[in-house]
């Protein structure tokens, strides 16, 4: 019989998480995006975590969740404002094991609770299939300057909620 994967836990970002989340960010870009972006592109992209103080402030300035397995961080995601998924990164050894799904499920619920009716993301070519499976649709292709490199990504959007009939509040009797 195969071993079952330990349960993914979620918790809020803490400032002391910055070094390990920076390492997850770099490892994720370096290993998981290898087929979609050149060495130079990945190096420029990963450079956003070189200044850990600045990287930590970016995480602290957003609603950032940390995914853990057996109390160790294995991924993170952040919501910018109430309706933009800004960052989603998973340690390569834990990719395709439900970590990103748990993070997105939570941020989509939190965005809805904050009043967002839709969520947008600038998806890398590597992450685009994941978001398509979650019901996000492509809005436009982008070319972004990062350092001395140009990287392509896709703006994607997903409508949130819509389960309650018009005029009714979820969880409240009519």
């Amino acid at each position: 019989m195969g071993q079952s994967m330990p349960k993914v836990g979620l918790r809020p970002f803490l400032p002391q998480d910055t070094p390990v989340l920076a390492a997850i960010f770099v490892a994720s870009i370096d290993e998981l995006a290898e087929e979609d972006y050149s060495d130079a592109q990945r190096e420029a992209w990963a450079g956003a975590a070189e200044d850990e103080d600045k990287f930590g402030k970016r995480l602290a300035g957003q609603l950032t969740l940390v995914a853990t397995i057996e109390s160790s961080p294995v991924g993170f995601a952040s919501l910018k404002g109430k309706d933009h998924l800004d960052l989603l990164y998973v340690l390569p050894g834990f990719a395709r094991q439900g970590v990103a799904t748990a993070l997105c499920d939570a941020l989509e619920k939190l965005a809805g609770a904050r009043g967002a009716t839709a969520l947008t993301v600038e998806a890398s070519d590597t992450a685009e299939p994941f978001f398509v499976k979650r019901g996000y649709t492509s809005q436009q292709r982008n070319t972004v300057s990062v350092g001395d490199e140009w990287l392509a990504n896709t703006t994607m959007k997903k409508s949130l909620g819509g389960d309650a009939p018009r005029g009714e509040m979820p969880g409240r009797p009519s």
Side-chain angles (χ1 to χ4, degrees):
M1 288 191 102
Q3 275 188 314
S4 65
M5 172 135 154
K7 186 167 169 43
V8 177
L10 297 177
R11 64 169 175 79
F13 165 76
L14 302 169
Q16 59 266 34
D17 293 325
T18 301
V20 71
L21 299 189
I24 290 171
F25 179 81
V26 171
S28 178
I29 292 166
D30 195 43
E31 294 180 42
L32 300 177
E34 190 173 18
E35 292 183 19
D36 298 307
Y37 298 92
S38 71
D39 289 346
Q41 287 173 317
R42 291 191 329 275
E43 188 175 319
W45 181 3
E50 281 179 12
D51 181 341
E52 281 187 8
D53 187 51
K54 186 175 177 183
F55 189 70
K57 285 180 180 167
R58 178 177 181 184
L59 297 173
Q62 301 180 14
L63 173 58
T64 301
L65 296 179
V66 178
T68 61
I69 292 182
E70 296 176 350
S71 301
S72 295
V74 295
F76 67 97
S78 68
L79 185 65
K80 184 177 185 180
K82 70 177 185 181
D83 61 2
H84 185 74
L85 200 159
D86 186 40
L87 301 168
L88 174 62
Y89 292 87
V90 174
L91 202 57
F94 292 90
R96 295 171 189 82
Q97 294 182 33
V99 176
T101 297
L103 287 162
C104 274
D105 285 349
L107 285 184
E108 287 172 6
K109 285 179 186 157
L110 289 166
R114 289 179 160 198
T117 57
L119 201 57
T120 60
V121 63
E122 308 302 324
S124 69
D125 292 351
T126 306
E128 186 175 1
F130 169 79
F131 286 108
V132 167
K133 285 180 188 170
R134 293 191 62 81
Y136 287 74
T137 56
S138 298
Q139 303 295 302
Q140 70 180 36
R141 283 291 282 168
N142 309 301
T143 305
V144 182
S145 174
V146 179
D148 293 334
E149 295 295 320
W150 290 94
L151 285 76
N153 69 25
T154 303
T155 300
M156 302 183 81
K157 186 175 185 177
K158 178 181 180 177
S159 292
L160 299 176
D163 295 333
R166 289 193 192 282
E168 290 183 25
M169 294 292 291
R172 296 181 116 187
S174 329

